[in-house]
Every structure is written in C-alpha cells, then in structure tokens.
Amino acid sequence: MALHIVLVEPEIPANTGNIARTCAATGIHLHLVRPLGFRTDDATLKRAGLDYWYAVHIEYHDSFQEVEEKYAGSRFFFATTRAKKRYTDFKFQDGDFFVFGKETKGLPPEILEAHPDTTMRMPMTDKVRSLNLSNSAAIIVYEALRQLDFPGMQ
C-alpha cells in the first residue's frame, strides 16, 4: 500500500515536520518539490517531526513535472480553495498522490488548470481563506485511508 503526499515548494518547516509525522504514522510516502523555504536540517522541521524521520519514506524533486514523469500513469489529486468538488466527492485508491501547494500562494495556476477534474477543496466558512497545510493534508489522507479501510494500521 502506498499513498503519497506531494508538497510543492513548502515554506514553513513546522508544517512539513507535522506532515512528515503523519506520514510516519500512516505509511504514506512524502515528496518534497524544490525550492523549499527552509533547510531540511532546520531545527524546527526536526522538532515538528520529533524522532520519526527514520520512518518516513521521503523523496526530493526539482519540479512537479519531475514527479508526474517519474510516476506516469498514477492518479494525482490537487488541494485548492478554488476547486468546485469537495475531497469527499472522490473515490481514492492505492497509489494515489495528494498534491499541496506552498502556504502563502497554494498551487501554481498552471498545475491547477492542467488538472481541472481532480482538484478538490475542504468545506469551510467564509471567515478564513484556508486551513493550515498540515491539517489539510491530514484530513485528506485520513479520508483516503478510511476509504481503503486503513490498510496496515491498527
């Protein structure tokens, strides 16, 4: 079983550390697309992931296109506040990729425009622009894991 989280140009080390910890707890693979807004030896990044980094399957990529080419034939889902469909409108399967953009700007328009049928949002009030990146990633991957009956988890 392998689900994947892709962070395109993440900026805040604590968010990436929290997502890495979620990956360690669930067996989800983490992909980081450069440039990163921090160094991977950043103390904040390490502290957020605590001592779970050894349990994270992590890959670094120089572009999102590199990820798509390496995993051609895979299904990619894109989190954005601008999507029409909710994340619960999709039926997820083993091998799916969940793609998130940088904290300040989200995913680049060209990525979203190239994948209009697999963009998804989380319902929320109009009081905020978006949820925290690490919370959004956890919500979506746990929905996918729920649909798959939490494979390999107790």
Side-chain angles (χ1 to χ4, degrees), residues 72-123:
S74 296
R75 297 184 339 150
F76 290 86
F77 295 89
F78 304 85
T80 175
T81 58
R82 299 180 292 275
K84 290 185 176 34
K85 293 181 182 177
R86 297 175 300 197
Y87 72 101
T88 54
D89 294 333
F90 293 95
K91 177 72 174 134
F92 301 119
Q93 62 190 34
D94 186 20
D96 284 347
F97 284 72
F98 303 104
V99 185
F100 299 86
K102 63 174 72 177
E103 289 90 340
T104 57
K105 296 181 182 176
L107 288 166
E110 58 273 12
I111 291 177
L112 296 173
E113 290 165 6
H115 304 90
D117 296 333
T118 55
T119 61
M120 59 186 175
R121 64 179 173 80
M122 281 164 279

Side-chain angles (χ1 to χ4, degrees), residues 80-82 103-104 122 124-131:
T80 175
T81 58
R82 299 180 292 275
E103 289 90 340
T104 57
M122 281 164 279
M124 64 185 86
T125 69
D126 61 359
K127 306 288 187 262
V128 296
R129 287 185 309 277
S130 64
L131 291 172

Side-chain angles (χ1 to χ4, degrees), residues 3-78:
L3 292 172
H4 304 261
I5 292 176
V6 180
L7 302 181
V8 178
E9 301 179 12
E11 300 168 309
I12 301 173
N15 284 332
T16 299
N18 289 334
I19 291 168
R21 186 173 181 167
T22 298
C23 289
T26 59
I28 290 174
H29 295 191
L30 179 60
H31 301 262
L32 299 179
V33 177
R34 297 180 185 101
L36 308 179
F38 49 84
R39 294 190 350 234
T40 55
D41 63 352
D42 184 290
T44 307
L45 178 72
K46 298 295 185 193
R47 189 169 38 257
L50 295 174
D51 56 350
Y52 300 109
W53 285 97
Y54 73 92
V56 180
H57 176 101
I58 188 167
E59 292 183 36
Y60 296 89
H61 306 275
D62 291 322
S63 67
F64 179 67
Q65 181 180 357
E66 181 182 302
V67 178
E68 285 185 302
E69 289 172 1
K70 182 173 181 177
Y71 295 96
S74 296
R75 297 184 339 150
F76 290 86
F77 295 89
F78 304 85

Side-chain angles (χ1 to χ4, degrees), residues 138-154:
I139 289 166
I140 289 173
V141 299
Y142 265 91
E143 171 60 16
L145 290 166
R146 183 195 66 78
Q147 289 182 17
L148 298 170
D149 199 27
F150 301 102
M153 300 171 72
Q154 320 179 25

